[in-house]
């Protein structure tokens, strides 16, 4: 038996549980204060938990001598792995609940949609379901034109086969585009006389219809947002009210103990606070309010580092461009293959004008809000860097943990600028699998595609980086996050940019201690150390030590939040919904 180690905890008492007999991966070498030091590099044999906190990390004999009481549960992991609970650096837990509610249009491996016929069938089935009959719109989520026969979006004519009497919306997997039927266009008041909104596109069919061409049903960015807003509001309030509970259950099943709602209207924040006040949430939920909404009534944000019944508002989110796979992200160089109605010099487009983006960053700094920004394309990243640089020069020094979300096409020069400005990159590394082949063939070409989600550039500069799932864009799979970084395998099986692969240890840090650091919570979470919350996950194998090819075969066996098992859930009663709470204004930017 190994000796107890420095920082293992000097007290004694009766622990609630002592874990032993498996691989205990403490992740105690990340950013933040160090409480456990293993001079020999060995993993501890035991972890003791009392009242939701870790009270001991060290040798089994010492744990039993100091912390076993008459009611202590001594749990043999039987060779399984114990890790810190996973922390979601960016996702949309309410949107995950939406994904679990409407028609499932995801392609493989998360679903089975590969053609427009299946989209039509699934939307019809949803329209005939109990939830669908209560909904004003027939809604489905998750189709990917890159996986459809013909690599094209469904059109108004396709969706008219679902219904000509009810509006229909098929949401693209990126949540930056979607397609509506003719009734949907009518409800939105989109016609040949409707000009494209700033920051969005109404795609056209017959361009001879003046003045702008007949809409074909496909909508991008700010043209799509009103459709998603209306469609989601059209879902019955009873069903919308369950979005959060469904999202939390899904996240817990993948080992997450802290999750994010990454683009909330202030009204949604209010609804979330009402839900948390009625019953403490089973996981910690961090909320970022849409910047444009927040700066209008800043007192309603009430950002804090402290959770109230499992909920806190942390700051604001900017949305500076679109989706690379949807070819709406804002790039420095043209797309390899532009959309059919665009020229060879097409680089995507910004969502916000520079002055507006700068105003939002300045507001975040002035109010002490953490600022995160959706930036996929390298030109959008350049805009974010400019705004952060100006706001930083104008402000007093502070530990802001400003974060760039996605950073898909960040250049090496831009990662260097992130380091100088203290911007944390949070990569959407799962793109290497989901859209890596599409990036090579259509979006960027091989020379640029090999450097998407460039984690090694961050590591080479000694930076903290995180990696996320962005659910509902994909399932909230912790294992897919890890695999995407370690193997960078695409759907076709190629390794996309081997020089950007990271170790299992670095991948695990990206959703544990590094994610805790991104949130400013590294003193409380992210590693198995004495004094920290007993946020833990039990896995069938250790992702730090298994071969990369085996990561997706790992099974999430148990998720523990502050010492309490939240997955598998013994109690299946949903989060209570107070009167009048329906997350009624939920809209979304991934």
């Amino acid at each position: 038996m190994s000796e107890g180690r420095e920082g293992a905890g000097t007290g004694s008492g009766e622990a609630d549980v002592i874990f032993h007999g498996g691989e205990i991966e403490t992740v105690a070498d990340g950013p933040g204060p160090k409480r456990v030091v293993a001079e020999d590099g060995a993993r501890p044999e035991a972890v003791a938990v009392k009242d939701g906190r870790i009270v001991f990390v060290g040798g089994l004999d010492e744990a039993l001598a100091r912390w076993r009481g008459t009611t202590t549960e001594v749990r043999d992991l039987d060779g399984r792995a114990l890790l810190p609970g996973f922390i979601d650096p960016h996702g949309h837990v309410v949107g995950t609940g939406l994904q679990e509610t409407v028609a499932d249009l995801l392609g493989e491996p998360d679903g089975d949609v590969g053609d427009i016929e299946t989209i039509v069938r699934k939307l019809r089935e949803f329209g005939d379901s109990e939830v669908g009959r209560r909904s004003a719109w027939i809604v489905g989520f998750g189709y990917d034109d890159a996986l459809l026969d013909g690599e094209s979006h469904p059109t108004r004519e396709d969706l008219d086969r679902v219904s000509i009497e009810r509006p229909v919306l098929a949401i693209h997997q990126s949540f930056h585009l979607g397609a509506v039927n003719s009734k949907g266009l009518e409800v939105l008041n989109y016609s040949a006389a409707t000009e494209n909104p700033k920051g969005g596109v109404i795609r056209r069919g017959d361009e001879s219809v003046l003045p702008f061409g007949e809409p074909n049903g496909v909508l991008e960015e700010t043209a799509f947002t009103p459709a998603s807003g209306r469609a989601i509001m059209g879902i019955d309030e009873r069903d919308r009210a369950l979005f959060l509970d469904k999202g939390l259950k899904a996240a817990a099943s993948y080992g997450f103990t802290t999750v994010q709602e990454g683009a909330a209207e202030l009204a949604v924040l209010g609804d979330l606070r009402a839900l948390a006040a009625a019953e403490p949430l089973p996981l910690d939920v961090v909320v970022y309010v849409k910047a444009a909404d927040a700066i209008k009534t800043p007192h309603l944000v009430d950002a804090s580092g402290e959770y109230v019944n499992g909920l806190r508002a942390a700051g604001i989110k900017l949305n500076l461009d679109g989706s690379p796979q949807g070819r709406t992200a804002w790039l420095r160089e043209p797309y390899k293959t532009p959309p059919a109605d665009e020229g060879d010099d097409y680089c995507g487009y910004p969502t916000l004008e520079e002055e507006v983006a700068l105003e939002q960053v300045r507001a975040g700094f002035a109010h002490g809000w953490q600022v995160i920004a959706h930036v996929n394309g390298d030109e959008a990243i350049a805009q974010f860097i400019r705004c952060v640089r100006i706001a930083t020069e104008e402000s007093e020094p502070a530990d802001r943990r400003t974060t760039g979300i996605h950073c898909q096409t960040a250049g090496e020069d831009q990662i260097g600028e992130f380091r100088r400005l203290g911007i944390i990159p949070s990569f959407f590394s799962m793109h290497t699998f989901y859209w890596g082949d599409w990036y090579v063939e259509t979006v960027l070409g091989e020379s640029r595609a090999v450097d998407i989600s460039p984690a090694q550039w961050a590591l080479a500069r000694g930076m903290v980086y995180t990696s996320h799932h962005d659910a509902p864009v994909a399932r909230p799979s912790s294992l897919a996050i890890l695999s995407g970084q370690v193997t960078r395998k695409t759907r076709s099986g190629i390794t996309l940019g081997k020089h950007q692969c990271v170790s299992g240890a670095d991948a695990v840090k990206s959703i544990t201690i590094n994610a805790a650091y991104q949130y400013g919570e590294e003193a409380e979470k992210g590693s198995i150390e004495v004094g920290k919350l007993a946020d833990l996950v039990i896995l069938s194998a250790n992702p730090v030590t298994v071969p990369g090819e085996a990561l997706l075969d790992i099974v999430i066996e148990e998720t523990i939040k502050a010492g309490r098992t939240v997955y598998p859930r013994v109690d299946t009663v949903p989060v209570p919904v107070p009167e009048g709470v329906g997350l009624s204004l939920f809209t979304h930017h991934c």
Side-chain angles (χ1 to χ4, degrees):
M1 300 291 180
S2 66
E3 296 298 317
R5 57 189 59 184
E6 181 184 352
T10 57
S12 63
E14 187 168 311
D16 298 320
V17 61
I18 296 172
F19 296 98
H20 72 99
E23 288 192 48
I24 298 171
E25 198 65 55
T26 64
V27 199
D29 59 342
K34 305 297 181 288
R35 297 174 180 155
V36 174
V37 179
E39 294 181 358
D40 59 1
R43 292 186 180 88
E45 293 177 329
V47 173
V49 173
K50 180 178 176 61
D51 297 332
R53 296 261 172 191
I54 297 166
V55 294
F56 178 87
V57 181
L60 177 58
D61 287 346
E62 186 177 355
L64 294 174
R66 290 170 49 191
W67 289 100
R68 180 167 59 177
T70 56
T71 63
T72 301
E73 179 185 6
V74 180
R75 289 194 56 181
D76 187 350
L77 294 168
D78 195 23
R80 295 185 290 270
L82 181 71
L83 278 77
F86 297 140
I87 298 171
D88 167 23
H90 181 67
H92 308 265
V93 66
V94 177
T96 305
L98 167 72
Q99 180 187 64
E100 299 286 326
T101 301
V102 300
D104 182 356
L105 306 183
L106 290 168
E108 293 184 349
D110 299 322
D112 60 359
V113 172
D115 53 48
I116 288 173
E117 290 300 320
T118 307
I119 292 175
V120 170
R121 174 177 61 79
K122 291 203 166 195
L123 285 167
R124 284 174 178 164
E125 290 171 354
F126 173 75
D128 290 336
S129 70
E130 182 179 353
V131 174
R133 288 194 300 271
R134 287 199 292 260
S135 176
W137 286 61
I138 298 173
V139 188
F141 171 80
Y143 82 87
D144 181 1
D145 56 308
L147 298 181
L148 299 180
D149 293 344
E151 296 182 347
S152 59
H153 296 264
T155 63
R156 64 188 294 178
E157 289 81 10
D158 295 320
L159 299 182
D160 282 346
R161 292 161 49 206
V162 177
S163 177
I164 58 174
E165 298 171 345
R166 298 172 66 188
V168 177
L169 172 64
I171 301 172
H172 187 265
Q173 190 171 359
S174 68
F175 224 118
H176 284 258
L177 305 91
V180 297
N181 66 344
S182 297
K183 185 66 175 179
L185 289 170
E186 177 187 324
V187 170
L188 295 166
N189 200 26
Y190 286 171
S191 69
T194 309
E195 193 172 3
N196 287 339
K198 188 175 294 185
V201 172
I202 301 169
R203 292 193 185 179
R204 313 289 171 164
D206 185 353
E207 304 225 355
S208 68
V209 181
L210 299 177
F212 301 113
E214 190 66 27
N216 71 359
V218 180
L219 309 172
E220 301 177 7
E221 304 298 341
T222 57
F224 161 73
T225 302
S228 63
R230 282 175 176 262
I232 294 166
M233 281 189 66
I235 296 171
D236 189 271
E237 184 174 300
R238 289 168 291 178
D239 301 307
R240 290 197 311 273
L242 297 176
F243 285 175
L244 178 62
D245 185 67
K246 290 181 177 182
L248 291 170
K249 287 178 179 176
S253 74
Y254 287 103
F256 287 99
T257 52
T258 299
V259 299
Q260 186 182 117
E261 178 46 50
E265 303 277 0
L266 276 170
V268 172
L269 175 59
D271 282 347
L272 292 173
R273 283 175 169 152
L275 287 167
E279 180 81 15
L281 302 179
L283 308 180
D284 282 343
V285 179
V286 185
V287 182
Y288 292 86
V289 178
K290 291 183 178 181
D293 206 15
I295 61 179
K296 293 175 186 175
T297 49
H299 65 283
L300 295 179
V301 177
D302 193 19
S304 171
E306 301 297 322
Y307 289 91
V308 177
N309 283 351
L311 183 79
R312 74 178 180 96
I316 58 172
K317 183 185 180 186
L318 286 68
N319 190 61
L320 299 187
D321 72 338
S323 154
Q325 67 270 32
R327 288 176 286 180
T328 60
W330 189 21
L331 303 178
R332 292 193 281 197
E333 298 179 15
Y335 282 84
K336 179 183 179 184
T337 305
D341 51 351
E342 300 289 351
D344 290 341
D345 60 349
Y346 173 76
C347 294
Y349 47 88
T351 302
L352 297 179
E353 294 180 355
E354 190 98 0
E355 308 79 56
V356 176
L358 178 57
E359 176 192 14
Q360 293 181 357
V361 174
R362 281 171 167 159
F365 283 22
H367 289 286
W369 299 331
Q370 186 182 13
V371 175
I372 69 172
H374 169 113
V375 283
N376 264 314
D378 46 8
E379 191 59 56
I381 294 169
Q383 182 186 54
F384 187 45
I385 288 171
R386 290 192 297 271
C387 293
V388 171
R389 183 186 297 118
I390 292 170
T392 299
E393 291 170 352
E394 295 173 346
S395 306
E396 294 294 324
D399 183 9
R400 297 187 174 90
R401 312 279 169 106
T402 304
T403 302
I405 300 296
H406 307 323
C407 304
Q408 280 299 301
T409 60
E412 190 166 10
D413 60 319
Q414 294 177 322
I415 296 297
E417 283 298 302
F418 272 27
R419 186 180 187 280
R420 282 186 281 276
L421 291 168
I423 300 172
I424 299 168
S426 185
F427 299 119
F428 194 176
S429 305
M430 292 161 65
H431 266 243
T432 52
F433 173 78
Y434 281 97
W435 294 285
D437 294 322
W438 181 243
Y439 277 29
V440 171
E441 297 161 4
T442 304
V443 178
L444 299 174
E446 184 175 3
S447 63
R448 285 190 286 172
V450 294
D451 286 318
I452 63 170
S453 297
Q456 277 293 352
W457 289 346
L459 289 174
R461 288 161 175 79
M463 296 169 64
V464 169
Y465 81 89
T466 64
S467 186
H468 56 264
H469 54 66
D470 200 27
V473 171
R475 301 289 188 203
S477 172
S478 53
L479 301 174
I481 295 173
L482 301 178
S483 177
Q485 298 176 73
V486 175
T487 72
R488 292 180 65 94
K489 292 288 187 185
T490 70
R491 290 178 184 271
S492 68
I494 67 169
T495 298
L496 186 63
K498 187 175 181 179
H499 60 287
Q500 295 288 4
C501 292
V502 305
S503 69
D506 282 321
V508 166
K509 287 179 186 177
S510 77
I511 55 171
T512 54
I513 192 62
N514 288 4
Y517 180 85
Q518 178 185 305
Y519 285 137
E521 299 181 27
E522 69 274 15
E524 285 282 291
K525 298 175 180 175
S527 60
I528 298 177
E529 300 182 74
V530 170
K532 288 194 175 185
L533 286 169
D535 289 359
L536 305 166
V537 62
I538 299 174
L539 308 177
S540 62
N542 186 352
V544 171
T545 58
V546 302
E549 294 72 22
L551 285 167
L552 294 175
D553 297 326
I554 292 175
V555 177
I556 310 290
E557 300 206 354
E558 186 173 349
T559 306
I560 300 164
K561 173 62 186 163
R564 187 175 72 89
T565 296
V566 291
Y567 172 82
R569 277 178 71 167
V570 176
D571 176 14
T572 58
V573 177
V575 173
V577 180
E579 188 73 25
V581 173
L583 300 179
S584 55
L585 296 178
F586 166 71
T587 56
H588 184 79
H589 280 292
C590 293

